[in-house]
Amino acid sequence: VQLQASGGGLVQAGGSLRLSCAASGRTFSNYGMGWFRQAPGKEREFVAAITWSSGMTYYGDSVKGRFTISRDNAENTIHLQMNSLKSEDTAVYYCAVPRGSRWYPEFMDYWGKGTLVTVSS
């Protein structure tokens, strides 16, 4: 599985960005896809995830109500709409595919290269 993330950039606090991640390769057996982020000096943190079959979504506490994850099954692509961005959202965002159904970094089988999101205050 290859993952290609895009959409990062610089935005002012309160603004919005939309990230996308396209999967290629053996995607038909995957449970779903998700987003993690890592800020300088911090551990990698779960952001959001979605399952391919039912579209069930999961969110980290710090982004609930501000971020929305969606999927395009035909394109094997997920999107992350980020609204009301805060300076603490600044991080490198990674898309990932799990080996099972648990959304922790140690349970991811594949990672995209990451895309930088910078929120200026």
Side-chain angles (χ1 to χ4, degrees), residues 3-84:
L3 304 177
Q4 182 65 50
S6 60
L10 174 65
V11 65
Q12 288 189 334
S16 299
L17 277 177
R18 187 175 189 243
L19 305 183
S20 297
C21 182
S24 59
R26 292 178 58 87
T27 59
F28 60 87
S29 62
N30 296 328
Y31 174 71
M33 285 175 64
W35 291 97
F36 292 77
R37 68 186 182 185
Q38 189 164 19
K42 295 189 176 181
E43 294 185 350
R44 196 162 292 191
E45 173 191 22
F46 171 72
V47 175
I50 190 166
T51 62
W52 288 121
S53 57
S54 66
M56 184 170 292
T57 57
Y58 306 88
Y59 294 95
D61 289 341
S62 60
V63 306
K64 284 180 181 176
R66 300 188 297 121
F67 291 11
T68 302
I69 190 169
S70 60
R71 77 198 195 288
D72 182 338
N73 289 48
E75 298 293 330
N76 289 327
T77 298
I78 62 171
H79 307 284
L80 185 68
Q81 179 65 42
M82 305 185 295
N83 298 329
S84 303

Side-chain angles (χ1 to χ4, degrees), residues 9-15 85-90 117-121:
L10 174 65
V11 65
Q12 288 189 334
L85 283 162
K86 306 174 182 179
S87 57
E88 51 263 44
D89 295 317
T90 295
V117 172
T118 303
V119 183
S120 63
S121 57

